[in-house]
Amino acid sequence: MKNNNDTMTKAAIQRIKELECPTGELEGRIARILERYDVASSREVEIEISSSSDMDDGQLYKIQLPGEAQSIMVEAKTGMDDYVTIVTDVYMDGVITE
């Protein structure tokens, strides 16, 4: 990430790490957080669900920001009653964020 945008991206990642939301709303919530922190417009953010054999009880979301080589990866799992999705980890290109 670039210059001042790096600080905003780190703040957005911290907020994404705390996310719990109704199932089916995660992608929209992530896009809105990135927009709120001036990282990228929610219309420009590309989010895809990756199928990962390492995650038996969750899903991996790949977030591609416009003009950036790095992707933000979000691991999330569904709560016991399948009504809530909980973010369990967020990292960038294999580097765990603090």
Side-chain angles (χ1 to χ4, degrees):
M1 305 294 146
K2 302 171 190 141
N3 312 337
N4 205 13
N5 199 25
D6 197 27
T7 303
M8 300 304 280
T9 301
K10 286 179 184 177
I13 286 172
Q14 284 304 116
R15 176 62 189 103
I16 292 168
K17 282 183 175 184
E18 301 168 0
L19 224 108
E20 287 187 29
C21 62
T23 300
E25 292 185 16
L26 185 63
E27 293 155 304
R29 297 262 182 121
I30 290 171
R32 285 192 297 276
I33 288 170
L34 293 171
E35 186 168 68
R36 193 172 309 130
Y37 283 86
D38 292 324
V39 175
S41 167
S42 61
R43 292 181 303 274
E44 296 176 328
V45 173
E46 293 179 29
I47 301 175
E48 67 180 56
I49 300 173
S50 301
S51 50
S52 174
S53 59
D54 294 341
M55 297 190 64
D56 294 332
D57 62 341
Q59 292 183 309
L60 183 65
Y61 294 80
K62 179 181 179 184
I63 299 135
Q64 186 62 52
L65 304 176
E68 296 289 342
Q70 290 180 310
S71 299
I72 298 171
M73 306 302 284
V74 176
E75 293 180 9
K77 66 178 184 176
T78 304
M80 288 179 22
D81 55 6
D82 286 340
Y83 291 120
V84 177
T85 298
I86 303 163
V87 171
T88 57
D89 199 5
V90 181
Y91 53 92
M92 295 173 62
D93 289 334
V95 177
I96 296 174
T97 59
E98 298 178 17

